[in-house]
Amino acid sequence: MMRSLEAIAARKRDDIQMIRSPRLWPQRYLRLKTQPWAAGADGKSRFGRMEQDDQLSVYPDDGEPMLFDSLEQLTEVWGVD
């Protein structure tokens, strides 16, 4: 099923709002997973985490850390789990 651009934009806005509100995080890090539209060729989601003091880096469970220039860029690939 194709997601509407409005639904994608709303999800990214919600993710950015949560990332910018670390007081709402359940722990000192935030669990992330790949956005539905950014799943790999096999269709499987990847998981990772973000630390409160570095909200532009993602530490995937299965790879090297990824650094992004902005939350908008980060939420193209990663969302709050």
Side-chain angles (χ1 to χ4, degrees), residues 15-59:
D15 288 341
I16 289 171
Q17 183 177 2
M18 182 64 167
I19 291 168
R20 287 184 173 156
S21 303
R23 70 186 185 291
L24 300 177
W25 295 14
Q27 22 203 5
R28 292 201 43 83
Y29 62 89
L30 188 61
R31 291 291 300 161
L32 304 173
K33 71 177 179 180
T34 49
Q35 296 284 16
W37 57 85
D42 58 5
K44 293 183 180 177
S45 294
R46 295 176 58 205
F47 296 88
R49 73 179 195 290
M50 169 187 290
E51 303 289 335
Q52 283 184 352
D53 59 351
D54 184 8
Q55 297 178 356
L56 293 178
S57 294
V58 174
Y59 300 90

Side-chain angles (χ1 to χ4, degrees), residues 55-70:
Q55 297 178 356
L56 293 178
S57 294
V58 174
Y59 300 90
D61 292 348
D62 62 354
E64 296 295 316
M66 302 171 71
L67 178 62
F68 295 89
D69 293 328
S70 67

